[in-house]
Amino acid sequence: MIYNGIRTKIADYDQLPSMVGQVFMVGQEEIAVFRLSNGDVRAIKNKSPHPKGGKLADGLVSGEYIYCPIHDWIISLIDGKVQAPDRGSVQTYPIEVEGNNVYLIL
């Protein structure tokens, strides 16, 4: 995906619960946003790469990984890659935190 650098405010940082996915609609995209235990904020498309899908916002967060809630695939919140032996990837989105504002970059 090519990003145009357009910033869209999606949340207040202090309103994002730690280690719990939040879903935001940006245009036609359903995006799952996570505040990690280290304070970083990550955003991915809210759809598992498994052929049968699943909503990633409902998954368990461990470190910088999300566990698909239906198929238990382990997916990096940094680059969207699925850990072996499973295969696939999920679209990730750049995030900027400025003060208390969380922006998604498109």
Side-chain angles (χ1 to χ4, degrees), residues 44-45 47-50 56 73-76 79-83 86-92:
I44 61 174
K45 188 170 185 173
K47 185 175 184 296
S48 172
H50 188 279
L56 293 176
W73 283 15
I74 303 170
I75 303 162
S76 169
D79 61 15
K81 293 182 181 175
V82 175
Q83 284 192 338
D86 301 308
R87 295 185 183 147
S89 64
V90 176
Q91 176 67 49
T92 60

Side-chain angles (χ1 to χ4, degrees), residues 52-71:
K52 294 183 180 178
K55 300 291 185 177
L56 293 176
D58 297 333
L60 295 174
V61 177
S62 178
E64 295 178 336
Y65 295 92
I66 183 79
Y67 287 73
C68 174
I70 299 173
H71 308 99

Side-chain angles (χ1 to χ4, degrees), residues 16-58:
L16 289 175
S18 183
M19 310 293 286
V20 175
Q22 297 289 301
V23 177
F24 297 91
M25 289 298 297
V26 179
Q28 299 297 315
E29 291 293 321
E30 190 172 303
I31 299 172
V33 176
F34 302 88
R35 187 171 83 179
L36 306 182
S37 60
N38 66 5
D40 289 350
V41 179
R42 300 292 178 188
I44 61 174
K45 188 170 185 173
N46 191 30
K47 185 175 184 296
S48 172
H50 188 279
K52 294 183 180 178
K55 300 291 185 177
L56 293 176
D58 297 333

